[in-house]
Amino acid sequence: MTKRVFSAMRPTGRLHLGHYFGVLENWIKLQSEYECYYMSADLHALTTDYSDTSKIDRNTLEMIADWITVGVNPNKTVLFKQSKVPQHSELFLILSMLTPLKRLYMCPTYKEQLKEIKNRNLHNYGFLGYPVLMSADILLYKSNIVPVGEDQVAHLEFTREIARKFNGFYGEIFVKPQEQLTKAAKFLGLDGRKMSKSYNNSILLGDDNDVLKYKVKSMFTDPLKIKKNDIGHPNGCVVFSFNKILNRDYKNREEECKTGKIGCVSCKKQLIEILSEFMKPLSEKRKDIIADKNYIENVITTGCQKATEIAQKTMEEIHKILKF
Ligand code: SF4
């Protein structure tokens, strides 16, 4: 039987190159080998954005348009919206009965995010129970493989724990999912920090030429390389980090920088060309997809129907085993 992959993203709107190289490239590879379920986690978005939900739906459309633009194929994969499959919430409730509060307080991401996110009050039940909802998402589809970054491994361990507990109490229903570690998702942003929309340092998928020019010009470079002939240190330079990923000839660029054969102005000009070439087809495809709102909505509706079929089946088994 073909193994099942589950993965999700919170709908935060348009995606950036960090999402592409950190997550989507892998999703595209997986879709030719496995049965893949990719979800817009709009219920999860509520855990932090509960006071203003006005952008969540539009953000889902933009995000799914980006998935399709880069090559996630709705004919091969199931693309859907969490809130339209009510079984997620039902399983979340059932699993929450088996979850000791102490275990949730111990989750490293809970502590970290409480520290980091200062502009919203996160002392709520939903935020604490985030890993339980995530477990419900994964277990509902009896997923075998879940692609995750290092920071999500603890959540997957939690999912296996809760699956073991449930299976132990009531009978073997859940498959214990395995993580597939995605390679370092740390893609540098314009200012040298991790690329993130909250830092306002991203290059978005489909950015046009003028935007690219503006963004590349603002990229952080080696502060010690002022004149063209100065010896450069490419390893601390954002322009070089982009070259390493997008330019097949990056070793040559490294050498030219280190030996003062190229200056930052011309190095940036060449990166603009490389990025434009990479982005042009994406930008054109994205424009067509986003203009056809009906198409994206149909993809989501079909995906939700397919996801519901599986989710319903699992919930029927659960009802039976729980003697409801
Ligand atoms: Fe960075 Fe290029 Fe300048 Fe070297 S020449 S510091 S790689 S921008």
Side-chain angles (χ1 to χ4, degrees):
M1 212 170 95
T2 313
K3 287 191 173 172
R4 200 171 278 160
V5 171
F6 176 88
S7 195
M9 275 190 199
R10 283 161 62 119
T12 52
R14 290 185 59 187
L15 303 180
H16 54 62
L17 286 179
H19 293 118
Y20 177 71
F21 290 107
V23 181
L24 295 172
E25 250 193 345
N26 188 38
W27 279 17
I28 296 160
K29 268 189 226 140
L30 290 169
Q31 69 186 0
S32 50
E33 226 182 303
Y34 301 105
E35 188 187 329
C36 296
Y37 287 73
Y38 298 145
M39 179 182 87
S40 168
D42 53 356
L43 290 176
H44 282 287
L46 278 184
T47 57
T48 52
D49 297 331
Y50 53 86
S51 58
D52 179 9
T53 59
S54 58
K55 295 196 187 89
I56 295 179
D57 210 44
R58 180 70 207 170
N59 284 349
T60 290
L61 279 184
E62 296 274 0
M63 182 174 78
I64 293 186
D66 278 338
W67 294 353
I68 300 171
T69 301
V70 297
V72 175
N73 183 345
N75 298 320
K76 283 186 182 167
T77 60
V78 178
L79 309 182
F80 70 104
K81 222 163 44 166
Q82 187 183 26
S83 61
K84 291 289 176 225
V85 184
Q87 288 80 2
H88 286 260
S89 307
E90 188 185 357
L91 186 56
F92 166 59
L93 178 72
I94 293 171
L95 297 182
S96 69
M97 304 300 174
L98 308 185
T99 308
L101 276 177
K102 216 167 119 191
R103 182 66 182 81
L104 292 175
Y105 284 120
M106 273 164 49
C107 275
T109 44
Y110 174 71
K111 292 188 213 159
E112 255 171 53
Q113 294 206 337
L114 272 189
K115 235 192 264 166
E116 270 172 34
I117 305 176
K118 295 283 180 213
N119 55 348
R120 275 163 288 183
N121 182 2
L122 297 178
H123 294 276
N124 61 56
Y125 167 65
F127 185 64
L128 179 67
Y130 186 102
V132 188
L133 182 54
M134 190 171 153
S135 300
D137 300 334
I138 295 166
L139 296 175
L140 199 50
Y141 299 96
K142 302 194 177 183
S143 319
N144 307 94
I145 299 165
V146 183
V148 286
E150 294 271 4
D151 54 337
Q152 296 289 315
V153 172
H155 284 164
L156 213 66
E157 186 47 45
F158 174 84
T159 304
R160 284 192 289 267
E161 258 173 58
I162 209 164
R164 258 195 302 271
K165 203 167 182 181
F166 185 99
N167 288 352
F169 278 147
Y170 310 112
E172 290 284 324
I173 291 252
F174 295 130
V175 168
K176 286 185 264 327
Q178 294 307 313
E179 63 265 22
Q180 186 213 53
L181 268 181
T182 41
K183 61 176 185 221
K186 196 172 173 199
F187 192 86
L188 290 188
L190 306 175
D191 55 2
R193 292 185 289 172
K194 181 181 171 178
M195 186 175 281
S196 161
K197 277 172 83 177
S198 42
Y199 295 152
N200 202 17
N201 65 358
S202 309
I203 294 194
L204 301 179
L205 290 170
D207 268 349
D208 66 27
N209 230 8
D210 290 341
V211 177
L212 285 176
K213 269 185 202 158
Y214 172 78
K215 288 186 175 174
V216 172
K217 278 182 187 161
S218 75
M219 272 181 187
F220 181 84
T221 59
D222 174 9
L224 299 174
K225 187 164 165 64
I226 297 160
K227 297 192 288 304
K228 179 188 161 190
N229 300 340
D230 289 340
I231 287 169
H233 305 84
N235 282 331
C237 168
V238 175
V239 179
F240 184 66
S241 78
F242 274 76
N243 268 280
K244 257 175 137 175
I245 291 167
L246 292 159
N247 183 357
R248 262 187 251 126
D249 205 17
Y250 76 91
K251 288 223 180 280
N252 193 26
R253 177 50 33 89
E254 186 174 14
E255 192 54 31
E256 287 173 335
C257 172
K258 281 181 174 169
T259 51
K261 286 193 184 122
I262 189 166
C264 296
V265 173
S266 118
C267 186
K268 282 184 170 181
K269 256 189 201 156
Q270 289 179 34
L271 179 63
I272 293 169
E273 278 165 28
I274 293 169
L275 269 170
S276 303
E277 205 176 305
F278 174 82
M279 215 66 100
K280 199 170 173 244
L282 296 184
S283 166
E284 283 163 7
K285 192 171 167 196
R286 191 178 195 285
K287 260 185 213 147
D288 291 343
I289 292 171
I290 208 75
D292 193 351
K293 202 175 162 211
N294 283 346
Y295 166 70
I296 308 177
E297 281 176 346
N298 282 339
V299 165
I300 297 174
T301 307
T302 311
C304 290
Q305 281 162 357
K306 287 186 187 160
T308 303
E309 271 172 40
I310 307 287
Q312 235 164 10
K313 234 171 117 202
T314 307
M315 283 316 297
E316 276 164 20
E317 287 178 48
I318 291 172
H319 278 225
K320 206 168 157 203
I321 212 165
L322 292 179
K323 308 196 182 356
F324 279 171

